[in-house]
Amino acid sequence: MARSDAQTGQILTGERSRSYWAISLRRLMRKKVGVVCLAVIVLMYGAGIFSPLVTPYDYNDQDLSVSKQGPSFSHPFGTDRLGRDIFTRVIYGLRTTVIITVVSLLTGSLALGLTLGLLSGYFGRWIDTIIMRVGEVTSAFPEIFLVLIIIASVKPTVTGWARVVEDLLGVDIVRLGVVDYLVLSLALAIFSWFGMARLVRGQVLQQREGQYVEAARSIGASTPRILLRHVLPNVMGPVIVVVSAGMAAVAGSEVLLSFLGIGIQPPTPSLGLMMFENGSIAVLRTNPHLLLFPAGTLTVLLFTFNLLGDAINDAFNPRTR
Amino acid sequence: MGTYIFRRMLWLPFILLIVSAITFALGRFGPGDPVELLLGQYSNPAVVERIREQRGLNDNIALQYGRYLSEVIRGDFGESFKYRGRSVADLLKKKMLVSAELNIAALIISVGLGVPIGLYAALKQGTWVDTAVVFTVLGWQSVPVFLTAPAALLIFALHFDLLPTHGWGGFFDTRIILPALVVGIPGVAFFTRLTRASTLEVISQDYIRTARAKGLPELAIRRRHILRNSLIPVVTILGFSLAGLAFTSFIVERFFGIPGVGNLFIESIFARDFPVINAVIIVGTTLFVLANLVVDLIYPVMDPRIRLGGSYGAE
């Protein structure tokens, strides 16, 4: 098994050797801030994933007799213009955030970014040249412009396909908002892979010359095996840091796009959409709870992500050990 | 140096070519027929056909793209679908200036507050001051503009009646203060964290210890050795952060009724006004690439160790 310098150092100083992951996790757990952040994020993501189970109402339940009420026992965050329970809608909004962040990070940063970074760093030459040049071009323009235009122009086409699939399968794909989720996540993914690929490539360039890679090659290990079993575990630390920072960025982008009316479409709840509907002085003056609860939830989520990113950085960065 | 700039400039047309091709293709193959947009849904087929012929929409797509490119190079972005009879270039020129003023004001606020706060926090590392600064700043960064914009209006404009709420009067007008603050404050957090991190890195370097050992006055060490080196990452990120600010300012322009590009761009996306969309993207990309080039040219001035023109792109 490969060992990083930090571990070798620990062996020399007589400390018992543990895996990089175990050490990092222990370091993270020793920090109160890190633990609290992890707990908050697990709680919010859990609430989002199990939203139908933890919410008292359905996100579309309208009751005009209780329209625009402040927080009460039956409606902890109050109700909106149509008498829908805001607590329920915020939780379902979190579900949207969960889906978008996870899908776009899995496809963009992790699948594309990690793979291309590994290939680029390990093989070098023309593979490296092509991947890096394409990446430079995608990162050369302000991504959000293109995300906007891609979503605006591609979504109707994808919706058309979805309707065809719908007819074939007899499932309500469009109404569930699947198309919105898909287009939004993938559009964000297109522009998020390069940062990860460049980072992984740099790490691999360092690791490639390591003796353990030479050793693995000399006993006849195949290239995929060397990459996945030997190189990959050694570059995971910085990857985790970038992912935790990326989560906050993607969550923020989703909210921005929904706010502009291009992301998630009603009636699917999204935090951005709720703020879009209520982001005015008039609302803030007369019914502040309509804006404050969704905005507050997003603030807490972004705050914990940023703080967790810092804590993870401290825990995983070998130089701060 | 000259060859370096030249090589970087060679990239610009290449990138613009790709960007314009993408936007052009999305405009042509995306939803919404330009002629239908121009005439409305129920129009005389004969008129539609005549206009298609007139505008060359029946030609080969490559030919259309070539024609579009040659017009763009001469600074002609065509005519807006939505604002009939107005050239896109005309429409953009004024609005771009407004947005640029807002963004520069916001950047001044971000850097002007962020860098000193970050330096201060780093020099006080480990004390409660440092922790308090990091938490406050992170908190600020996390509050969405959808909340800060109306809240700022409510507090400063309506409640205390200190500043005007709406409209635009240029860079030297009180109406720029609130929107610039709302756009700039999240950036303060960004620059504080960046400066703090880079200063911490610099402080632990050997040359700082050497400077102390030489008996240099603390102020001189801070100014000549710490500040200068810890600002390098800040300068690097300036170009990129302008793009980030630009997007925040899109939303803030809506709240404050500022006649900038943001409103125009969002309107044109909904109206599928592709001449305007393409123009904004092409001009925006050019500025973005140029800003990053300028940043690269400032590097060697700040850090003599950095030499340009080595292997560009490789790290």
Side-chain angles (χ1 to χ4, degrees), chain A residues 133 137 140-141 144 148-149 152-153 156 198 255-256 259-260 275 279 281 284-285 299 303 306-307 310 319, chain B residues 11 15 19 26 31 138-139 142 144 146 151 154 158 193 201 247 251 255 265-266 269-270 272 277 285 288 315:
Chain A
R133 287 302 168 272
V137 171
F141 30 76
I144 209 78
L148 271 173
I149 184 174
S153 55
R198 192 162 51 180
V255 169
L256 273 178
F259 179 80
L260 294 176
M275 287 186 262
I281 317 176
L284 200 56
R285 251 203 314 192
T299 307
F303 183 68
N306 285 328
L307 213 55
D310 279 7
R319 269 188 308 177
Chain B
W11 266 99
I15 289 169
V19 175
L26 287 175
L138 264 183
S142 312
F146 322 112
L154 190 68
L158 291 180
R193 293 174 76 191
E201 182 113 22
F247 200 64
I251 290 145
F255 272 110
F265 187 62
I266 291 162
I269 284 190
F270 284 120
R272 311 216 179 282
I277 299 177
T285 308
F288 184 71
E315 285 176 40

Side-chain angles (χ1 to χ4, degrees), chain B:
Chain B
M1 189 76 167
T3 45
Y4 176 77
I5 298 177
F6 180 69
R7 261 204 300 185
R8 281 295 296 270
M9 294 304 280
L10 277 184
W11 266 99
L12 184 59
F14 180 61
I15 289 169
L16 287 180
L17 200 70
I18 294 176
V19 175
S20 64
I22 294 174
T23 50
F24 184 82
L26 287 175
R28 280 291 179 280
F29 299 117
D33 183 72
V35 179
E36 197 176 278
L37 283 169
L38 212 61
L39 295 175
Q41 220 169 350
Y42 308 100
S43 47
N44 187 343
V47 180
V48 170
E49 198 45 43
R50 201 180 70 226
I51 292 187
R52 292 195 80 87
E53 202 55 50
Q54 229 173 39
R55 302 213 160 193
L57 288 172
N58 287 339
D59 296 345
N60 185 326
I61 188 78
L63 192 71
Q64 288 186 43
Y65 176 60
R67 197 160 48 214
Y68 176 72
L69 262 190
S70 78
E71 279 167 11
V72 165
I73 290 169
R74 280 177 272 136
D76 175 11
F77 289 99
E79 186 187 310
S80 160
F81 289 159
K82 195 171 170 234
Y83 300 95
R84 220 73 57 78
R86 301 209 32 200
S87 88
V88 175
D90 244 26
L91 212 59
L92 271 187
K93 227 178 274 167
K94 254 195 173 149
K95 304 214 170 213
M96 284 233 154
L97 189 69
V98 170
S99 290
E101 283 173 332
L102 175 61
N103 280 310
I104 288 169
L107 193 65
I108 292 173
I109 292 174
S110 304
V111 178
L113 288 176
V115 170
I117 296 177
L119 269 175
Y120 185 72
L123 292 175
K124 296 264 176 195
Q125 193 208 4
T127 66
W128 67 270
V129 180
D130 181 34
T131 321
V133 166
V134 170
F135 266 79
T136 320
V137 144
L138 264 183
W140 261 118
Q141 195 179 19
S142 312
V143 185
V145 274
F146 322 112
L147 183 59
T148 50
L153 276 171
L154 190 68
I155 295 168
F156 291 105
L158 291 180
H159 199 67
F160 292 114
D161 204 14
L162 285 174
L163 296 162
T165 51
H166 259 62
W168 184 250
F171 198 77
F172 300 102
D173 186 279
T174 47
R175 281 178 285 188
I176 202 176
I177 299 177
L178 272 187
L181 273 177
V182 171
V183 179
I185 292 284
V188 171
F190 178 76
F191 282 106
T192 302
R193 293 174 76 191
L194 191 68
T195 314
R196 179 178 172 273
S198 73
T199 308
L200 286 181
E201 182 113 22
V202 169
I203 285 178
S204 64
Q205 296 288 323
D206 285 342
Y207 59 79
I208 300 294
R209 201 181 309 139
T210 311
R212 291 229 164 85
K214 279 196 299 192
L216 286 181
E218 188 60 27
L219 203 68
I221 297 175
R222 285 186 185 173
R223 213 180 58 227
R224 298 282 301 273
H225 296 264
I226 297 179
L227 182 64
R228 200 173 160 149
N229 285 298
S230 57
L231 281 186
I232 293 171
V234 176
V235 174
T236 325
I237 221 81
L238 274 182
F240 281 101
S241 69
L242 256 180
L245 284 179
F247 200 64
T248 318
S249 81
F250 273 20
I251 290 145
V252 174
E253 280 176 15
R254 295 199 110 178
F255 272 110
F256 290 87
I258 296 168
V261 192
N263 253 330
L264 178 73
F265 187 62
I266 291 162
E267 261 175 34
S268 14
I269 284 190
F270 284 120
R272 311 216 179 282
D273 193 349
F274 275 100
V276 176
I277 299 177
N278 288 355
V280 172
I281 292 184
I282 289 173
V283 175
T285 308
T286 313
L287 292 178
F288 184 71
V289 173
L290 285 181
N292 280 325
L293 176 66
V294 170
V295 163
D296 277 4
L297 296 180
I298 297 176
Y299 269 161
V301 180
M302 304 204 51
D303 187 350
R305 282 170 304 183
I306 298 172
R307 290 269 171 273
L308 293 178
S311 54
Y312 165 59
E315 285 176 40

